[in-house]
Amino acid sequence: MSSDRHVPPVGHDKSSRWDFVLGQLAQTKRLSVADVAAQLGISESTVRRDFVDMEKAQLARRVHGGLVAVDIAYNLAASPRGDGAGDQRERIAAAAAAMVQPGSIVGFNGGRTTTASARRIVARSDLDTGGSVPGLTVVCAALNIAMETVLRPAVRTVVLGGVAEPRSFELTGPLAQYTMRDLWLDIMFVGVIGVDVDAGITCDSDAEAGVTRTMISHSRRVVGLATGDKIGKRALAGICPLSALTDLIVTGEVPTQLREACAERHVRLHAV
């Protein structure tokens, strides 16, 4: 990869760096420490530490002087890189991971925040039971999340059937909903496009919303995940009212109206 290649602005937080590196790996299949350091304007020692951590997370494989791709989906194809929300997603992911107990059955819909949360959760070292019992069972409504979790020997991955949406990788349609009707979750993490006091939790696709609603109805605990730019926003399709959530993890300034609405509906609000 040439060091003079145009690079979009990338934040210096770890999540943004990883997003950039994994996105580049999806295209080039190999990166060098020197090129990444030059393109991001950071030290080679920082890049080496990132590469070591990515290999530990089984997201890539280190070679002399660089990193090579492994056969997984690295990023959501339709999501813009360098959107500045990487640090927010990482904070949400840390809070989400703290909610999961080993041995749990955990569900995810699609999205960048749920992808970051799933990646953090399945990387936990306490999930490796060393036996035949899964340390965690993950039920995925998004193909990219499934392709990450299935690499973990301690994690059992269940993928819903259905039609894959090309923009989000989410599985939709009657088959996905039919599969979910026989499954039950301990905790469901819901990525959103908008969080509004009146409209509730919304997304851009009614087909995706339908599958997510079924997953929500089959879960003991339902956790909404929203970066600051989603608060107060409404999208096309309603997923559920705020009252259907047990928890809401958000970043940024939380409006008083949302705080009060969560309190009235007995939704635990986690501002991170």
Side-chain angles (χ1 to χ4, degrees), residues 14-15 18 57 59 86-87 89-98 108 113-127 136 148 152:
K14 185 175 182 178
S15 180
W18 281 35
L59 296 172
D87 180 63
R89 285 191 291 271
E90 196 65 25
R91 298 203 307 271
I92 289 173
F108 298 95
T113 306
T114 47
T115 300
S117 298
R119 185 180 295 151
R120 177 70 73 97
I121 290 167
V122 300
R124 283 175 37 172
S125 59
D126 61 342
L127 299 180
L136 191 73
E148 290 203 31
R152 307 286 180 168

Side-chain angles (χ1 to χ4, degrees), residues 19-20 22-23 73-77 79 81 112 119 144 169:
D19 274 356
F20 171 78
L22 295 176
Y74 289 106
N75 216 327
L76 290 171
S79 299
R81 300 187 184 98
R112 289 178 67 110
R119 185 180 295 151
N144 67 308
F169 304 157

